[in-house]
Amino acid sequence: MKTFLVLLLVSSIHLFSQKLLTPNNISIDSKLIKDEVSEAAWYAENAGTKIEIGSIITELKKLNKTDLLIRTTVKLKQAPDAKWTDSTIVKTANFEPVYHSSFNTMRDMVLKSGKTKVTGYYLDKKSQKKDNIDISATDYFDSSSYPMAIRFLPLKENYTADLSVFDYNPDAKKGLIKAYILDIKKTDYDGKKVWAVKTTDDIRDKTTIVTYYIDSETRKILKQEIDLGGKKMTLETIR
């Protein structure tokens, strides 16, 4: 009886343990990755009314046989001349991070990913305070690129997983954290069969839920629903 209980306990722990995805064990279908440029209209919801606040242009480009560039440019309607540009380079095969930069009117940030640590800098443009970054980290995804990696997973219904992620924020958690695939459902969107992938992460202590609607054939993100603890936003791909 004692042996049976031990085996039952071990099997239960295995059953309920969550798989941690890292670049070393992720299964990416790189044949689905194509050079592309897409644009999404960005809306905030207020009392049931959608208000367009800007747009986000996302570019995927294979730089060579091994590296993939992911670049996003945010344009706000109230500040048309102010651009927020993030550029990330990852390994196409497994989304292992190489480089990430983010430039906008408030701050500049550059991260270089090594095998054992992340180095770079963070410049607050208002205070002109510059932080040098040197943080130990191994086997992780960059926080800017993990949503793109999810696109190319072998998606299936009811799939869940944790992802090891690196994020830098001088005012919050920094270093290795987790992102979470909470659920995946097959559904219809705009006449197409899509995957609805529900996610969250530790960047905002799991208070933000993002659901991606991903075309089941092309794996393009057609829509994002963002729940910020009651406040809601959407991103709807227009090209």
Side-chain angles (χ1 to χ4, degrees):
M1 176 62 73
K2 187 175 181 180
T3 302
F4 172 76
L5 290 174
V6 170
L7 289 173
L8 182 62
L9 178 61
V10 170
S11 63
S12 297
I13 291 171
H14 176 75
L15 179 64
F16 292 105
S17 62
Q18 188 73 281
K19 182 177 183 180
L20 180 66
L21 294 182
T22 71
N24 278 340
N25 67 15
I26 197 170
S27 178
I28 292 286
D29 190 345
S30 56
K31 296 190 300 295
L32 293 169
I33 302 175
K34 312 288 185 184
D35 287 2
E36 66 176 48
V37 178
S38 63
E39 182 175 5
W42 184 8
Y43 299 96
E45 294 188 19
N46 185 13
T49 302
K50 289 197 323 183
I51 301 170
E52 187 173 356
I53 57 178
S55 66
I56 300 179
I57 297 172
T58 302
E59 177 186 3
L60 267 67
K61 184 177 179 59
K62 292 182 179 180
L63 299 177
N64 48 47
K65 291 183 178 180
T66 61
D67 295 337
L68 176 70
L69 170 67
I70 305 167
R71 179 184 289 125
T72 59
T73 303
V74 178
K75 297 180 180 179
L76 300 176
K77 278 190 167 294
Q78 293 185 340
D81 296 328
K83 293 182 179 179
W84 184 320
T85 301
D86 280 59
S87 299
T88 304
I89 298 174
V90 300
K91 296 298 181 183
T92 309
N94 62 0
F95 275 68
E96 179 184 347
V98 177
Y99 171 88
H100 173 63
S101 66
S102 182
F103 300 109
N104 59 57
T105 56
M106 297 178 291
R107 55 113 172 107
D108 291 347
M109 182 174 68
V110 171
L111 301 174
K112 297 178 181 179
S113 297
K115 290 294 183 183
T116 61
K117 63 181 180 178
V118 178
T119 58
Y121 70 87
Y122 182 103
L123 173 65
D124 185 316
K125 290 184 177 179
K126 183 177 180 180
S127 65
Q128 287 301 302
K129 183 176 183 294
K130 184 176 182 180
D131 295 328
N132 290 318
I133 299 168
D134 191 332
I135 300 175
S136 296
T138 59
D139 202 15
Y140 56 88
F141 303 101
D142 187 85
S143 61
S144 66
S145 62
Y146 85 80
M148 203 63 63
I150 290 173
R151 285 177 56 181
F152 306 110
L153 287 173
L155 302 176
K156 60 183 179 180
E157 287 198 299
N158 303 317
Y159 176 83
T160 62
D162 298 350
L163 293 87
S164 180
V165 171
F166 181 90
D167 185 70
Y168 185 84
N169 185 330
D171 301 319
K173 293 179 180 178
K174 49 183 172 281
L176 287 180
I177 57 172
K178 286 184 181 180
Y180 309 88
I181 300 175
L182 301 175
D183 191 26
I184 299 179
K185 297 292 186 187
K186 198 70 172 286
T187 188
D188 293 304
Y189 175 74
D190 199 22
K192 297 180 178 180
K193 288 291 184 183
V194 301
W195 293 110
V197 183
K198 187 177 181 181
T199 70
T200 190
D201 56 42
D202 290 332
I203 295 173
R204 295 179 181 84
D205 296 320
K206 303 180 189 176
T207 58
T208 299
I209 304 294
V210 181
T211 302
Y212 300 91
Y213 293 84
I214 301 172
D215 189 300
S216 59
E217 293 183 2
T218 66
R219 295 302 179 90
K220 289 183 178 180
I221 298 175
L222 304 178
K223 181 182 179 181
Q224 298 177 47
E225 293 178 344
I226 305 165
D227 188 332
L228 299 155
K231 296 181 179 179
K232 294 186 177 181
M233 296 188 296
T234 58
L235 290 167
E236 299 177 13
T237 298
I238 55 179
R239 70 175 176 95

